[in-house]
Amino acid sequence: MNPNDALMEKWEVQLRKGTLELAILAALQQRTLYGLELLKLLQSLPSTTITEGTLYPLLDRLKRDELVDAQWVQEGDSRPRKYYQLTATGAQKLTELTRLWRQSVTDIEFLLANPGPQALPMTGV
Amino acid sequence: MQQAELTNNDIIHRYLNDLRRYLARLAPHETQEVIREIESHLFDVMEQQEAAGNKADAAAILHGFGEPRQLAAQYIAHIEEGAPPPKGFKAIQTMKKSVTATLYFAMAVFGFSAALCLLFVAGAKFLLPESVGVWSTPHGNSIVVGFVSVPPTAMPEVMGWWIVPVAAVLALAVALLTRKVLSVLKQHM
């Protein structure tokens, strides 16, 4: 692996770490899922792949912070499963994080779309 | 390889037992909740593996959970960090720390200089036997201890050469006591 690849990977890990909470809250938006379902959903997307060892303790923390709720449900003969959903606080947090995320994407897209050498119009200042 | 001979149930049992041990700092019902959720996940996945015509592989699934110790560490991280401190707490903490540091330094200077003084008195007795001693008034209502340039001739000297061992032992005792106090202070810094 050349050093550039290692740097890219590091950046990807950082990005994933920073957006993981948003990804989980977004996945649970108006949806009730149990751990395995949530894991499979996140693993099906290229930038949100995580392991069991990351997901379950994170869900535990979100529950302690009262951003999600959980209850055990047993349907028919199946094994009891612990289902998660957003609380009102969690939904509020999701709105807030979504706003920040979109702002960040807009800003970076703006920079990418406007290469030099011309000076940029700085509307925000 | 011995690992291969273990059944899936053995592997799971061993893993969850280890995990339970590392989760000991959680309340028992919290530990139970964590174990139950992971157990449910494991059996779910193994069932799906078998339904898809594959061999259920507990070890491979557990690999995704990581080492029991590391997994447990994430579950108990909030206990180690403790509750978030109230606003302004940091300033108090910093102040307390600097007071302790000042106290530590002052105690060290005071204690060790007291010990050094006593040692000095003991040594000085050999050089200037006339100027070092303990003098007391005949009726005992005032005493002069230590190193004086002009021995108070009106008062009798009470210790004589005994001052040497007594001062040396006292110096040692004060030095040891200072060290003890400092080590206690250090634990609170």
Side-chain angles (χ1 to χ4, degrees):
Chain A
M1 193 195 282
N2 75 49
N4 204 32
D5 283 351
L7 262 171
M8 285 301 287
E9 200 183 304
K10 210 167 164 187
W11 190 79
E12 235 183 294
V13 169
Q14 289 297 322
L15 186 65
R16 192 176 316 185
K17 234 189 224 169
T19 52
L20 194 52
E21 187 170 332
L22 172 57
I24 290 178
L25 295 179
L28 290 173
Q29 190 175 210
Q30 294 164 48
R31 199 181 283 124
T32 299
L33 298 172
Y34 63 96
L36 181 55
E37 279 182 316
L38 186 53
L39 183 76
K40 283 188 166 170
L41 174 56
L42 293 173
Q43 285 183 344
S44 72
L45 304 168
S47 74
T48 60
T49 303
I50 54 167
T51 64
E52 293 85 340
T54 303
L55 176 66
Y56 282 103
L58 185 53
L59 283 172
D60 186 65
R61 178 174 69 75
L62 295 176
K63 184 161 173 280
R64 236 177 308 105
D65 293 346
E66 293 174 3
L67 300 177
V68 303
D69 248 346
Q71 59 273 128
W72 288 91
V73 177
Q74 181 172 17
E75 289 157 4
D77 282 346
S78 75
R79 191 165 293 106
R81 288 162 179 159
K82 194 176 177 182
Y83 281 84
Y84 292 88
Q85 72 252 326
L86 294 186
T87 61
T89 319
Q92 216 176 324
K93 178 99 188 251
L94 174 60
T95 310
E96 186 64 13
L97 291 185
T98 305
R99 196 183 58 74
L100 290 172
W101 167 254
R102 292 202 169 130
Q103 184 65 56
S104 174
V105 171
T106 307
D107 294 349
I108 289 170
E109 287 293 346
F110 170 75
L111 293 173
L112 290 173
N114 290 280
Q118 296 96 319
L120 282 174
M122 286 192 265
T123 49
V125 183
Chain B
M1 202 167 75
Q2 203 200 342
Q3 197 83 18
E5 292 160 18
L6 292 172
T7 67
N8 281 331
N9 276 338
D10 289 339
I11 293 170
I12 292 172
H13 189 71
R14 186 178 288 186
Y15 185 93
L16 293 180
N17 264 349
D18 282 350
L19 183 62
R20 201 189 306 270
R21 211 151 37 81
Y22 290 121
L23 288 174
R25 295 185 62 185
L26 294 180
H29 73 273
E30 289 174 318
T31 304
Q32 197 46 39
E33 179 93 8
V34 171
I35 300 283
R36 198 174 159 211
E37 185 173 30
I38 293 174
E39 205 173 34
S40 166
H41 177 104
L42 294 171
F43 286 111
D44 257 353
V45 178
M46 291 202 308
E47 229 164 63
Q48 289 174 8
Q49 286 175 334
E50 277 167 356
N54 299 318
K55 204 167 170 296
D57 188 352
I61 311 165
L62 284 171
H63 186 75
F65 281 93
E67 289 300 312
R69 185 206 287 267
Q70 277 159 358
L71 183 63
Q74 297 183 74
Y75 277 107
I76 61 175
H78 66 287
I79 299 178
E80 317 249 284
E81 286 159 18
K87 272 200 176 124
F89 188 76
K90 212 170 174 183
I92 297 170
Q93 201 57 291
T94 312
M95 210 169 86
K96 201 174 130 198
K97 215 171 190 171
S98 71
V99 168
T100 314
T102 310
L103 186 65
Y104 183 84
F105 185 70
M107 186 67 221
V109 169
F110 174 75
F112 289 129
S113 32
L116 262 180
C117 282
L118 282 165
L119 213 57
F120 177 72
V121 166
K125 182 72 179 174
F126 291 109
L127 301 175
L128 301 159
E130 293 306 310
S131 299
V132 177
V134 178
W135 295 268
S136 111
T137 51
H139 301 295
N141 50 14
S142 99
I143 61 166
V144 176
V145 182
F147 187 64
V148 290
S149 52
V150 183
T153 44
M155 305 185 219
E157 209 278 328
V158 293
M159 285 186 80
W161 286 98
W162 273 107
I163 197 168
V164 176
V166 169
V169 167
L170 271 177
L172 189 69
V174 169
L176 287 177
L177 185 69
T178 305
R179 241 183 70 177
K180 187 88 194 157
V181 171
L182 289 180
S183 79
V184 171
L185 277 179
K186 186 142 205 174
Q187 279 167 18
H188 293 278
M189 277 170 87

